[in-house]
Every structure is written in C-alpha cells, then in structure tokens.
Amino acid sequence: MKRLVDFSLPHSYLIQQLAKYPYLQVITPTSLAARALKVPHQSLETLGKQSLLKAGIRVAPILIALRLLHTAVGTVIQTSDVEGTTRALSSAVKAILRAGINLKSLAAANSNRTKQLALLTQTYVSLLREEGMIDPAEVLWQASNVITKRQPVLIYGYFHPRIDQLNFLNAIADDDSVMVLPCPESSNFVDTKKAVEWLQQKGWEVQALEETTISLGEQLQNCFLNTTIVPPDVKAYIYPHLESEVRGTLAQVKNLLSQGTPANEIVLVARDDTLYGPSVLDVAYEYKLPVRALYGVPLNATRLGAWVQLLLEVIEEKFPFELTARLLRHPLCSFLSAQVWQEARKQHPSDLLAWQSLGVNLSLLDWQYEDTRANWVERMQDVLNKFNLRQGAGRWAREIVAYYEFQEVLVDLSKPEEEVITFGEFAADVMGSLALVTVPAQPGRGGVELHTPLSLFGAKFQHVFVLGAVEGILPALVQDDPILDFYERKLLRQQGFEFEDAAQAARRELISFYALLQTPTQSLTFSYPQLIGKEATLPSPYLSRLRLEVVQPPPLPVASLEEARQIYLRREILPDDDVLPQAVHAWNVEKRREGADPYDEYDGVIGLPLDPDRRVFSASQLTALGQCPFKWFANKVLKLAELEEAEEELSSGLRGSLYHRSLELALLNTSDLTRITENLQSAFVQAEQDLELPVLSAWEARRIEHLKVLGRACVQADFRQSEAEFFHVEKEFSGEWHGLNIKGVIDRIDRTPQGLVLLDYKTSSQVPKGIKDESGKANVDIQLPLYIHFASTTLFPGETVHEAYYYSVTKGKKLPKKQPSQETLEAIAQKIKTFLHTGYYAVEPDVDQDACQYCPYDLVCRKGSRQSRKGINL
C-alpha cells in the first residue's frame, strides 16, 4: 500500500481505522487532537527529538541558545547594544533555520541586510555545532537526516504544514501511512495545494473518501467557504464590554455543566488568550468554575519571578530599605515579623549591618564580585532553601510550576560550571531567563480549558465558545518582522528562497479559523464586546462570512453568590446568608452618605458629647476643629495615626522643627538680636542632635544651604525691629479662653518702647490657613489672637502687646494677616463648644479644601462632591 494524502477522512472513520490497524503510529500537533482520536499524544517535534537523541545530537536549551546567539551578534555586528540587537534579530534567525534555507546561497543574495543576517546565522550555527547542539528551530530538518527506520503513521491535525514538517514527515513515514490534510477548492488553500503537490512529488498518492453523513463542523466549514445557511446551533452574541462578555459566556458554561455536560466536552477559545485569560480566570474563580488557562506567562510575571528579581536588586544595591523590605515581606516568604517590621519602619535600615542590628540575618545575601557559574547557582539554591520558597510557592499551582521551571533554568545557568563570571553577568543571565521561560497561566487537571484556535487543530468538543470575535483579533493582525520584513521576504522569494510572505500569513489565520469550525459537535457560540478598554470594536469579518446574525444574549440564571447578593441588595426580603445583612447595612450607609440626608454617625456626627472642661486645646487643634471637625475627631478622639516612619528626606515638618530649635538655641546664647547670626552654626548643629536628625544624603552641603536661609532671615528688618530687645523665646502659656482650656508656646517675644512684639516662625512663604468664615473659606486666624490674649492677661498682665505677626524664615519677611473681631472669636469658641456638647464632628472641610491638603484621613472621611448634597451645618 502506498502512502496516502486524504482530504476528508471523517472523524468517526478515523477512530474505526485505528481500531483495525493498531500498528499505525498516530501523530497529532496537540494532545487535544490525540484525545479526540482516543490515542496517546505524539507530535512530529517529539519524534524528531527522539531521533536526534538516538543519534547523539542535543537540542540547545533556550538559555544556552540565546547565549550563543548573543556571542554571534557580538562577533558579526558592530553594535554597542548587543543585548537589544540580539532580541531584534532572534526571530529572523529562527525563521531562516525553520525554513531550511541554504546559508551559503543566502549569503550571496543581493541585499546587504540579508548577507549580514546569513553571516550571523552561519556564525551562530557554527557555535552550536562546536557544542554538539542544534537550535530548536532546526529540529525537524536535522532529524530528517538521521532517520534510519521508517514506520507507518497516521498524521492528523497538521492542517497547515510547514516545509520542515513535510520534510520530516516524508522521511519517517513508511508505506501504509496516511496524512489527513483538508484541501477544499478555494483560493485560500493555495498553500495547502502546494503542500499536497510536494508530497505527490515524493511519491504520496491522493485519495478523497466519499462522506455519507455531514457533521456540524463540516456544515460550518461549507458555510464558511460557500456562504450557505448556518446551522441553528451556531450563535453570535454582542456584549457591552469585555467583562460582561466573559461573565455571559461563563454563565452559559456553568449552565451546561449543571445540565450534566462533562467539563472536558466544553472549550473556551480566544485568539488573544493573554487578553482574555485574566478576566476568564477571575470570573471563573467567582463562579466556582474549574477553568484552566494554558497560555504562557513569563517567569518574571509570576510571584516567584518577582521575588527573584527583587533578590538580585537587593544584592546589587546593597540592601536598601524599600527593596529589602519588599523582599522580606513578599507573600512567598514573609520573613519579617510584625514587631521587627514596625521597628524597621522607624529606623529604615539601609545596609547589611543595619538590618542585622534588628536581628535580621542577611549574611547569606552578601555575595562577592565574581565566581564560577556553579558557585553562583549554588548560592541561589541556598537562598531559595533559606527563605523556604518551595513551601511558599506550593500555595499556588502556577507558582509551584514556576519554582520547578526555575530549578531547570538554574541547571542551564550553571554550565559551563568552571566559567568565572561577575555577579552582574550572572544577574543578567537570570533576568533574561525569567523573561524567556514561561509557565501555564492556570495549570492543573480537568475542567474547562481556554485555548487559541491554533491549539485546537484536530480537536473535538461538544460545545465551543469563541470569545473576542472582533476585527483585529479574529483574525489577528499580520505582524511584520522588524529585520526580515515582508518586503525583504518578497525580494528573497523572487530569488528562490521560500520565506512566508504577508499573504501566506493571512491565509494561515484563515485556515486556523476554518479548522476551528470543525471542532464543535453540538454547538458553537461566538461573542464579542462593543468596547475593549476605551476602544470601540467591529465584529469579525468571519461572522459576516458565516452569515451570522449578531443578537443580544439570552437571560441566564445568576451564576455566583456575589451576583445574587447584588440583586438581593435591593430587595426587602433576604435569604439566609452570612454576608447579606452586613452588605445591606453597608449599602444603606453608602446611600445615605451619597444622598442629601444630613450627616450621621458614619460621617462623624456621633451624638456623644465631650466635656470641654476636661480637654485642653492648642491653637492648631482649634484650627483643625474650625476647618473640618472630622479631622480633629479622627486625630484626637479616634486616635487614628499613621505608622511611625523614619525620615529619609527633610520633610516640611522636620525642617520647621529644625529651624525653630536652631533659632531658639541661637537666641538663648545672646540677648543681642544683632549678633544672633554668630551663633547660628553651632545652634544648628546642636538642633540636629536634639532632634535626632536621621542620616540624609549630601547633608554637609545641604546644611550650608539651610544656614544661608536662616542667616538671611535673621538680618532682615522684620526679624529684628529697631529698638527691639529680645525678651523670651519658646514661651509657654496656658489658661481659659471663652470657656475652653488652652495651652501653647509663643516662638519669640521682643520688648519695644511701644509694647511687646510676638513672633511666630513659619517655614512656608504664605500666611497659614485659619478657621472657616461664614462663606466656608479658611480665612479666620485664631493663633495670633490667642497669643495676644494670653500674653496680655496671663504671661505679662498690665503690659501692652504692640504687635503680633507671622515671620517667614524662608522668605525673610513678615506675613500680613488680618485680625478677626472679638465677636468673631467668641462665635468660633461657641461653635466649637457646640460641636463638643452635641458630638458633631462632620466631614465638612472648607470650600477650597485647604484642610485636606496634608490630611492623612482622606481614606476614612471620603470627601468629595457628595458634601454639596448634605444638610445645613450647625
């Protein structure tokens, strides 16, 4: 019996023939196609590697192949960016090797670019051969040369074979072999016809079996080519956006599963599976659907890869606080206890010794400058074991797969074992590996799978759901290679080199869709979103070619408990559920917060009085109460506070404290305001010590600049008025003011013939904001009136306060501020006491929201436009 090419062997007939002729070796491109024929999976690539292994030829691991290509690029091409050039040329080199092009002939081509590319490929291949290896792209070509024994085979699922696949197939197939290769009469199958002609030249014969029954898939393929009426079990639905499309499709899947359809008889298809994969997995988790997504995710996009990248950065940067903290608190290891983490935030350790002083032993990460590859890998293994990464990764299926893939990467990185490289070179190898090696997005067994059309060649499922049937995705846009572009390929094809051109790439997409149509046995459902992100979409041209009417999806049962809760949230009768009562309560709270109802306890109106006589207020507290009552309430009553954090930069608050303390110390050492500058430097250094100033970068130079600012401020006329004598500095006061207990500190008091002058230092160049006035603007100053009141009544009774003003140390000038009337001050005090007596601390910032600028409680109060809808303030 001769070797046969059959255009249309029915699926059922194939299974019958396999039962009759068990000696046939079945070859399929995917495990799904093998499963459809009920046979073990064996591909051409698998057979090719087995043949090479018997011949003693090794296939280069991806990392070693990349390293050798990198070397070849550095040898052949004059470039300063070898890494980037390697990435740009890699796909072109692979295309040459996969096409089986004669490199000597290619080097004689007319194009200089092609000549250089041919020389690069020759150099790369020579480096591989020196190591006794071949590139993965030339597996089938090389395997064809070492075949010693043919065998009868059945080839199914290679519906758009490449020339290297045909060549190897011809080399291994013995008599009685059969290849199923659909080749309908259509101009879109010109490449398939050429493949058939090539096989005929090699002695294969063509046969076409008469079909008695037509399956759903075959009907669909006929519709696609001849625009006949589509079967009733084929639907097309439109959704508003991508998430609604995924939810609607998975709801249909869940409905089928509930009706008894096996999960392995349902498949999800997306041409761009990386676009749809995350949404599909998220919604499937909510719906409690067993879904597997097998598209590749690079290791650097996994938790494990992110941790390894952090590790290398921490070692290279010598243990900086932020990076090291992220490494030690990563979900995979959680190396820091809560107590140590709190202390670390206070101290911000930034080197190995500082971390060790906290009891965190990181000596294992203190790596030397250079070592052998074997030792670098051994160190990495020690670190993985020390941080127990295997156990941490075991909580997620993808992470444990990533862990073992990384172990394989380390094996490749350790070779040649005696080669000495620097840490930087080793880190670059690891980082490059993390970007190249992939793992399945959602590995596992069983469940509904997400695939691309290409991975379904030859597969059979009862129900097929095709997501993202939009123009630009199905079919995918034809991508041009940046080096071996389609114009260059056209010129080379004219010279006899068989490179794939743009038309062939487009036909390959069409044939993959044609093959997809053969997959369903009971139903096929297309869907697409009107919007992807913010971009409007158009339906795939394949839908109109099938003459499908796109309609709204039918109503489906609620598919998850979360969706059910959203519905019951708006109903009075609730089912028995632990979450819904709290959800309804939270929903009602939010409706009231966003509505026009007056403020309630969830906006600070707690109705619990506070006795003003039992509290002591500062000027800043009164200002906070007058600007936004909730701001004071969150701080002083609820005691909300951010975690203590070490200062790594001179913040505005720390800078103000430093300036105040420096001026205080400078004045304490002299009573002559004209000589204050003589004491500034020593006072400034002492202030640093008193405030325990953290180590700041380039502080010696920055100290000089700050001293210049202070020196310039101290010689201005507004700082030391004529005939003024220094009297007091940092003068404390306390007492009663309109029924409120007040305490505070006056920065400086001078005595002049006209009376006392009170100064309050500010590092800002603008007048500080005050309490809200009647229009809601933060204009009413209360700090200076308090200073004047207590200076004239408590501190220095009988003396006159001539003037009180803010002094900008940064600008070296007085900041004018209008003093409020006594009636205004009395009204403010009464309003504050009303707040306290009634328990009213509403979220009511000033109209310009100046009170919110540096407020740490924005996540609690959730201010915004909703304030304009609230009731009248007290």
Side-chain angles (χ1 to χ4, degrees), residues 526-537:
F526 294 95
S527 62
Y528 76 92
Q530 292 176 299
L531 290 175
I532 296 180
K534 296 181 179 179
E535 299 295 326
T537 65

Side-chain angles (χ1 to χ4, degrees), residues 98-330:
R98 190 173 289 113
I101 302 296
N102 185 291
L103 297 179
K104 290 183 179 180
S105 301
L106 190 64
N110 297 331
S111 168
N112 290 330
R113 183 198 304 180
T114 303
K115 289 179 179 179
Q116 187 181 56
L117 194 55
L119 179 59
L120 170 65
T121 308
Q122 285 178 322
T123 305
Y124 170 59
V125 169
S126 298
L127 292 172
L128 284 170
R129 299 301 184 263
E130 290 174 6
E131 301 292 333
M133 298 179 181
I134 64 170
D135 186 88
E138 51 179 343
V139 164
L140 296 182
W141 288 110
Q142 296 298 324
S144 301
N145 299 328
V146 298
I147 295 294
T148 58
K149 183 180 179 181
R150 292 186 173 188
Q151 55 184 314
V153 293
L154 170 65
I155 304 95
Y156 178 73
Y158 289 90
F159 299 149
H160 190 264
R162 302 190 309 264
I163 184 62
D164 58 334
Q165 293 171 337
L166 290 172
N167 188 71
F168 178 71
L169 169 61
N170 181 66
I172 200 172
D174 202 359
D175 288 345
D176 296 335
S177 295
V178 179
M179 181 179 188
V180 181
L181 185 59
C183 188
E185 291 296 328
S186 170
S187 60
N188 295 312
F189 288 83
V190 60
D191 303 313
T192 308
K193 291 177 181 178
K194 289 182 178 179
V196 172
E197 292 171 359
W198 188 93
L199 289 171
Q200 286 178 309
Q201 293 173 3
K202 300 298 181 180
W204 292 67
E205 296 182 359
V206 174
Q207 76 170 12
L209 189 68
E210 291 283 335
E211 296 186 37
T212 57
T213 59
I214 301 179
S215 66
L216 172 63
E218 290 156 348
Q219 292 180 59
L220 285 169
Q221 289 178 330
N222 187 43
C223 293
F224 185 68
L225 294 180
N226 303 315
T227 61
T228 56
I229 298 175
V230 72
D233 292 323
V234 181
K235 307 292 183 184
Y237 297 134
I238 183 172
Y239 293 88
H241 48 79
L242 189 144
E243 183 182 345
S244 63
E245 179 193 10
V246 171
R247 287 184 175 276
T249 301
L250 291 187
Q252 296 174 68
V253 170
K254 190 167 186 177
N255 192 41
L256 287 172
L257 292 174
S258 67
Q259 294 173 3
T261 303
N264 62 0
E265 289 294 344
I266 304 171
V267 69
L268 301 169
V269 185
R271 182 62 180 88
D272 190 347
D273 49 1
T274 57
L275 172 66
Y276 274 86
S279 295
V280 167
L281 293 176
D282 287 345
V283 176
Y285 178 81
E286 178 188 328
Y287 285 5
K288 293 182 172 55
L289 278 176
V291 171
R292 293 173 59 201
L294 304 179
Y295 63 90
V297 174
L299 284 181
N300 59 13
T302 65
R303 293 180 178 90
L304 179 93
W307 191 89
V308 172
Q309 290 183 88
L310 272 175
L311 171 70
L312 297 174
E313 291 175 21
V314 165
I315 295 172
E316 184 178 6
E317 299 293 333
K318 301 298 182 185
F319 310 98
F321 171 72
E322 291 288 349
L323 287 176
T324 309
R326 286 168 54 197
L327 178 76
L328 300 180
R329 289 178 57 80
H330 195 277

Side-chain angles (χ1 to χ4, degrees), residues 533-759:
K534 296 181 179 179
E535 299 295 326
T537 65
L538 293 173
S540 168
Y542 292 161
L543 298 184
S544 58
R545 188 162 176 173
L546 285 169
R547 298 174 66 184
L548 273 175
E549 180 185 359
V550 181
V551 297
Q552 294 295 325
L556 288 166
V558 176
S560 71
L561 187 58
E562 289 76 10
E563 289 182 347
R565 286 168 179 160
Q566 293 179 26
I567 296 172
Y568 280 109
L569 206 59
R570 298 167 175 83
R571 297 182 178 178
E572 296 181 359
I573 302 176
L574 302 180
D576 186 15
D577 182 65
D578 293 336
V579 174
L580 265 176
Q582 288 82 2
V584 170
H585 173 70
W587 171 254
N588 290 328
V589 168
E590 288 305 306
K591 284 197 299 183
R592 183 180 177 91
R593 283 169 68 106
E594 294 294 332
D597 296 323
Y599 291 108
D600 59 9
E601 65 269 28
Y602 298 100
D603 269 312
V605 182
I606 59 174
L608 301 176
L610 294 174
D611 187 356
D613 296 333
R614 302 182 63 180
R615 305 193 73 88
V616 179
F617 297 89
S618 64
S620 60
Q621 285 192 50
L622 295 179
T623 302
L625 256 170
Q627 287 181 345
C628 177
F630 187 84
K631 183 177 182 179
W632 176 86
F633 173 68
N635 184 8
K636 298 302 179 181
V637 180
L638 297 182
K639 304 293 184 183
L640 301 181
E642 296 178 302
L643 289 175
E644 187 177 348
E645 192 86 30
E647 299 272 5
E648 291 192 338
E649 287 296 331
L650 192 64
S651 63
S652 57
L654 185 57
R655 176 168 169 254
S657 299
L658 184 61
Y659 282 12
H660 274 73
R661 183 59 176 162
S662 299
L663 292 174
E664 177 188 1
L665 293 173
L667 285 170
L668 288 175
N669 294 329
T670 179
S671 59
D672 187 355
L673 289 174
T674 61
R675 303 186 61 182
I676 185 175
T677 53
E678 299 174 8
N679 304 321
L680 270 180
Q681 185 167 357
S682 59
F684 194 87
V685 173
Q686 182 62 46
E688 293 177 30
Q689 299 174 4
D690 294 347
L691 296 174
E692 298 180 353
L693 195 71
V695 177
L696 303 174
S697 61
W699 180 244
E700 294 298 325
R702 295 166 68 183
R703 180 192 290 123
I704 295 173
E705 293 300 317
H706 290 300
L707 284 170
K708 287 181 180 179
V709 172
L710 286 172
R712 184 168 57 249
C714 291
V715 298
Q716 303 302 318
D718 289 340
F719 183 81
R720 51 185 187 188
Q721 298 184 17
S722 59
E723 300 182 349
E725 296 180 358
F726 166 65
F727 187 31
H728 279 290
V729 66
E730 299 295 325
K731 185 65 176 177
E732 297 182 357
F733 64 85
S734 62
E736 184 180 332
W737 178 78
H738 296 297
L740 297 171
N741 298 318
I742 307 296
K743 70 174 183 179
V745 178
I746 303 174
D747 289 346
R748 196 179 100 205
I749 304 175
D750 293 344
R751 191 188 294 278
T752 67
Q754 295 81 18
L756 301 177
V757 175
L758 315 180
L759 281 80

